[in-house]
Amino acid sequence: MPPIRSSRIPSVLVCAAAALTLSGCAVPVSPGFLDDRPTAQEEEWGDPSDMDTSGLEHGKIPSREPELDEADLPVADPPSDAPLTERIAWEALRDVSAFARAADPDSESECIDTTSELDGDSISLDCTVTYRGKEFDYNYGQRPDGTAPEPVYTAPLLRSVVENDLRFSQDTDYVNCDMEEMEAVPTSAASEAPGYRCVYLNPNTGDQERVEARAYGNGSLSFRPEE
């Protein structure tokens, strides 16, 4: 009589058959297997501990670009029949804060009428905006026909805003910009002013990338790779 041979069906096939009969089947899993699986971020970027974040500041990625909310200004827009110096003082405060893209609750603004006989029917106002304890000049002029050219003024560029803008544009937590906490920028020639060197952690490669941050007359920023 030929020897009786036992039939051993692989556990995978048993599970498949069990699934068809709705009886279920449990496949043994080695301890710690599920805990050792990489997260979605680790699969895409690699282990965060392997990334070089030296010299970079960690911060939360904002949901949108930084911008001024006029409701946060310390004073309200004066009525249309208010004195011109009062109305322009508010505009100066708004413009300087809009360039900074952040309100200062302690900011102040004052305008002085410097119109002289040589100006004829024109109007000249010299204003001073105090923002975060520093004074910024704001010069306003009005032609005889009531029209006004763009005011000439200096405004603050905040390091925190530049870095948060970079975080938003590059979708990264880690950045650093080589600049003072607050820089004074002449808005009429902002694009011609020297740029600021910034570094950020590329979330896709884990490498540190260098860019130049440059401000424009309305406070908007651009980031260009260093040449």
Side-chain angles (χ1 to χ4, degrees), residues 86-217:
E86 184 178 337
R87 287 185 280 123
I88 300 305
W90 185 86
E91 290 184 9
L93 179 62
R94 178 202 60 195
D95 290 349
V96 167
S97 301
F99 186 96
R101 297 159 74 182
D104 171 19
D106 298 321
S107 58
E108 299 177 346
S109 183
E110 182 182 14
C111 292
I112 299 175
D113 190 340
T114 56
T115 305
S116 68
E117 294 181 358
L118 297 177
D119 292 324
D121 294 329
S122 298
I123 298 175
S124 296
L125 300 180
D126 286 347
C127 308
T128 301
V129 177
T130 303
Y131 184 94
R132 295 193 178 186
K134 187 172 182 177
E135 294 184 348
F136 296 88
D137 294 331
Y138 187 100
N139 302 113
Y140 172 86
Q142 189 177 98
R143 303 184 183 97
D145 62 1
T147 61
E150 287 293 323
V152 178
Y153 62 101
T154 301
L157 182 64
L158 305 179
R159 176 183 172 185
S160 60
V161 169
V162 176
E163 291 184 338
N164 277 335
D165 205 341
L166 181 57
R167 286 189 177 96
F168 175 80
S169 66
Q170 300 300 328
D171 194 29
T172 181
D173 300 73
Y174 293 91
V175 303
N176 182 58
C177 291
D178 185 13
M179 57 186 295
E180 299 294 332
E181 289 298 323
M182 183 169 65
E183 301 274 0
V185 178
T187 60
S188 59
S191 61
E192 301 173 8
Y196 302 94
R197 174 178 292 181
C198 295
V199 183
Y200 71 92
L201 180 69
N202 187 319
N204 297 314
T205 65
D207 297 330
Q208 291 193 12
E209 305 284 352
R210 298 183 181 276
V211 294
E212 181 185 65
R214 189 174 294 276
Y216 294 90

Side-chain angles (χ1 to χ4, degrees), residues 47-66:
D47 187 346
S49 63
D50 294 336
M51 297 183 183
D52 180 14
T53 60
S54 58
L56 303 181
E57 299 287 340
H58 180 265
K60 183 179 179 181
I61 301 174
S63 58
R64 56 183 174 82
E65 292 182 349

